[in-house]
Amino acid sequence: MTTRIPSGAPDRLDPADRALDTRAVLTGIPRHRHPGRRTVTRRVLVASALTLLSIVFVYPFVWLVSASFKPRGEVFDNRLIPETFTWDNYVNVWQEAPLGVWMLNTLIVTALAAVTVTISSAMVAWAFSYYRFRGRGALFGLVLATMMLPGAVTMIPTFLIWNGLGMVGTLVPLWAQNLFGSAFYIFLLRQFMLSLPRDLFDAARVDGAGHWRVFRSIALPLTKPALAVTAVFEVQAVWTDLMRALIYLRDSSTFTIPRGLKSLVDAFGFGGEWHWETIVTASVISTLPLIVVFFLFQRQILEGATMSGMKG
């Protein structure tokens, strides 16, 4: 049987290489090529850089967890493995502060804020991505321009509005402004919706579906990855928000986790005795829910962040 070597193949090959090439011609399976030295070196450098960055970002939390299992005198000894291991901090923290009430308040505010901003931003994004009307580009540019305004510019007018409504001292100002959407989330969801096939929505309209039915039954299910990204981003933002809690909350029974931790630091500082073991333990407890949320929705976060930029 005569074997033909494809044109362009080298004229001189070792017997081993010629055997591999002959097999590739007969079977159609390309010869395996070992990665070059430059490719291996590049992979090693990238893996080393990623490992180093991971250690830099993870180390503070590892230190925090380690400090939460130490007695007061050893909190800052810089040992990742405690010399004196104790569970007392996780028992005493619930006695030192109403941590359960603070976590419940934070959970309520976070859930309401995430749901309202996701729904309202999705509705506005759908209008900008599907409907064609005069001035749509200028109006969308105006919405994006609101992201350029620093929070300090609108802080006092917003406070006066909520004070006039009698809502200062309640949890309402911490989430109710999300009823009007967020410029960043509107942009994110619009970019994702632009990648959806418009023919699908037009076919639904021809079949008699109304505007609301098309949005609710077709657009929203197809936008689940971007909606998950919006909700998770807002959960993280509200769960760690201290500024608005400092402005609007007055009584400890309405404190959120960030505001409660700030009150613990202030109380121990004014007394002259710093209970750092209690503060770091409360910080660990308040951080764990965010870690759980990220691990539960990490696939949706990556998928939504990737798909949102496919079409501009």
Side-chain angles (χ1 to χ4, degrees):
M1 177 178 180
T2 303
T3 302
R4 298 184 58 188
I5 304 298
S7 61
D11 296 332
R12 296 181 178 178
L13 294 173
D14 330 334
D17 286 342
R18 185 176 294 277
L20 289 174
D21 283 349
T22 303
R23 182 186 176 192
V25 173
L26 294 175
T27 63
I29 302 175
R31 184 180 64 169
H32 174 69
R33 294 183 178 179
H34 295 285
R37 183 176 301 175
R38 290 184 179 179
T39 304
V40 174
T41 304
R42 185 181 305 170
R43 290 179 180 177
V44 171
L45 291 176
V46 171
S48 301
L50 292 176
T51 302
L52 180 61
L53 290 175
S54 300
I55 293 174
V56 170
F57 282 101
V58 172
Y59 177 79
F61 182 71
V62 174
W63 182 93
L64 191 71
V65 174
S66 175
S68 68
F69 292 105
K70 299 176 182 178
R72 186 178 309 171
E74 301 177 8
V75 170
F76 295 103
D77 63 2
N78 246 0
R79 297 179 181 215
L80 293 182
I81 300 178
E83 184 177 3
T84 305
F85 189 91
T86 177
W87 287 94
D88 294 342
N89 297 335
Y90 284 90
V91 176
N92 297 334
V93 68
W94 302 96
Q95 302 172 358
E96 295 283 349
L99 195 60
V101 175
W102 296 346
M103 292 194 71
L104 179 61
N105 293 337
T106 308
L107 182 62
I108 293 173
V109 171
T110 302
L112 291 174
V115 171
T116 52
V117 80
T118 301
I119 294 176
S120 58
S121 298
M123 294 174 66
V124 178
W126 170 250
F128 279 121
S129 63
Y130 179 73
Y131 297 107
R132 303 288 188 265
F133 53 89
R134 183 177 300 177
R136 185 184 68 160
L139 186 59
F140 183 66
L142 183 62
V143 171
L144 295 183
T146 61
M147 292 193 296
M148 307 300 175
L149 292 175
V153 174
T154 58
M155 185 182 300
I156 294 177
T158 304
F159 175 82
L160 294 177
I161 293 173
W162 288 118
N163 188 49
L165 294 175
M167 295 295 180
V168 174
T170 68
L171 297 175
V172 175
L174 275 64
W175 65 268
Q177 67 182 19
N178 286 353
L179 290 169
F180 306 100
S182 167
F184 173 73
Y185 298 141
I186 291 172
F187 171 77
L188 177 70
L189 293 170
R190 174 184 175 271
Q191 294 304 108
F192 192 95
M193 289 178 177
L194 285 175
S195 66
L196 301 178
R198 186 180 178 88
D199 294 341
L200 185 63
F201 306 127
D202 293 339
R205 294 282 296 142
V206 170
D207 289 341
H211 294 287
W212 177 251
R213 179 66 181 273
V214 172
F215 170 70
R216 178 173 55 87
S217 301
I218 301 177
L220 283 185
L222 293 176
T223 321
K224 281 183 180 179
L227 295 176
V229 171
T230 301
V232 172
F233 280 5
E234 187 64 15
V235 165
Q236 188 274 335
V238 176
W239 191 275
T240 59
D241 182 22
L242 175 61
M243 181 60 68
R244 281 187 293 182
L246 283 172
I247 294 173
Y248 294 105
L249 301 182
R250 299 287 184 267
D251 187 76
S252 62
S253 62
T254 61
F255 282 177
T256 56
I257 285 290
R259 183 66 182 90
L261 293 179
K262 179 65 169 60
S263 68
L264 284 180
V265 174
D266 293 341
F268 294 148
F270 293 147
E273 185 178 4
W274 295 93
H275 295 200
W276 289 113
E277 76 286 356
T278 303
I279 297 174
V280 297
T281 303
S283 300
V284 172
I285 295 174
S286 64
T287 306
L288 289 178
L290 290 181
I291 297 175
V292 172
V293 168
F294 174 79
F295 277 106
L296 290 177
F297 294 96
Q298 59 179 331
R299 183 176 63 83
Q300 289 83 353
I301 294 174
L302 295 176
E303 183 179 353
T306 303
M307 293 294 294
S308 61
M310 289 185 60
K311 183 175 179 180

